[in-house]
Amino acid sequence: MSDGTANASDELELAQSEAAIEVDSSKSAPEDRETAGPFDIVEVPTMRPYVDFGGIKVAPREGLQLRLEVDERAKRVVAVTLDFEGSLLQVQAFSAPKTTGLWHQVRSEISAQLSSQGARIEEAEGELGPELIAVSSVPAEQGGGTRTVRFVAVDGPRWMLRGVIMGAAAEDAQARAGVIELFRDMVVVRGDQPMPPSELLQLQVPAGVAQNPTGTTQA
């Protein structure tokens, strides 16, 4: 009886060990990230103009509108949304270990969560690396049909920049190319302070910019 219990315990430990091995902690980023972005703050000439949101800097562009997403309970900015030519790109930056990445694990977690909510999930290889595409049903009262959302991310030095693409660019390759260009023009400011992995980098309202009631600013 005790031998059987021991064997079962060994099998459980082996299964847990194999599950741990399956987690890919390598960095996910395009080979030219350091020269083509998204950039770390030390990789960018200081004279280039940016809209400074603290943990993320966004390169201005004609026709680009920026909106801050605020957690009202915590009273903090949690994301920046870029509205450009019929597409939306919502971005967040997170702290990460120096030598390993987060995107492979985070992508798996997003996939499991959205699948449990009934979304159809597909993985694709894009300019930035692996992407996650989620297609979900839209309630009849909201017009019916389906909605496509595309998740992208890049692991940089001690950070991960994640983007959620909605609107035209989620399905149209030409529109997506323009949004990816916006993403690659961004700069992440990780800072030198110790932070646990996956902690959201602090965002803020740019200095000298007054938000209108909708939280939108013109770039």
Side-chain angles (χ1 to χ4, degrees):
M1 186 74 174
S2 59
D3 288 343
T5 303
N7 290 338
S9 177
D10 290 343
E11 291 174 359
L12 178 59
E13 290 179 1
L14 179 60
Q16 291 174 335
S17 175
E18 289 175 345
I21 292 173
E22 290 175 2
V23 177
D24 187 350
S25 61
S26 64
K27 287 181 179 288
S28 176
E31 292 184 0
D32 61 352
R33 186 207 62 76
E34 292 184 23
T35 56
F39 303 99
D40 187 77
I41 184 62
V42 301
E43 298 164 342
V44 181
T46 55
M47 69 286 296
R48 186 174 180 182
Y50 287 97
V51 183
D52 185 0
F53 291 97
I56 299 173
K57 295 177 182 285
V58 178
R61 183 169 303 195
E62 184 177 356
L64 174 63
Q65 290 191 329
L66 304 170
R67 184 174 68 247
L68 299 176
E69 308 297 337
V70 179
D71 181 341
E72 294 294 345
R73 290 179 299 177
K75 300 298 182 183
R76 65 178 299 205
V77 180
V78 295
V80 179
T81 296
L82 290 73
D83 187 338
F84 185 67
E85 296 184 348
S87 300
L88 296 176
L89 170 63
Q90 186 179 95
V91 292
Q92 294 176 300
F94 302 86
S95 60
K98 185 176 182 179
T99 58
T100 58
L102 296 177
W103 179 227
H104 295 305
Q105 178 180 342
V106 169
R107 197 169 70 254
S108 176
E109 292 170 354
I110 294 173
S111 178
Q113 179 183 354
L114 295 181
S115 294
S116 70
Q117 297 171 359
R120 187 172 75 252
I121 304 298
E122 175 187 344
E123 284 215 11
E125 192 70 20
E127 178 184 334
L128 302 172
E131 303 177 349
L132 196 66
I133 305 163
V135 181
S136 56
S137 299
V138 178
E141 59 269 23
Q142 296 181 19
T146 59
R147 178 185 293 115
T148 300
V149 177
R150 189 177 292 256
F151 297 84
V152 299
V154 166
D155 288 310
R158 301 175 68 223
W159 52 258
M160 178 188 73
L161 181 65
R162 190 183 76 187
V164 183
I165 300 173
M166 298 163 279
E171 299 184 80
D172 181 77
Q174 184 173 350
R176 187 159 58 256
V179 168
I180 294 298
E181 188 176 339
L182 291 174
F183 189 86
R184 299 202 75 169
D185 273 346
M186 292 183 184
V187 177
V188 177
V189 185
R190 161 65 174 79
D192 296 326
Q193 71 277 18
M195 297 176 69
S198 301
E199 183 168 330
L200 186 66
L201 299 190
Q202 185 173 349
L203 297 172
Q204 63 191 28
V205 178
V209 174
Q211 288 180 272
N212 64 26
T214 63
T216 303
T217 62
Q218 192 86 27

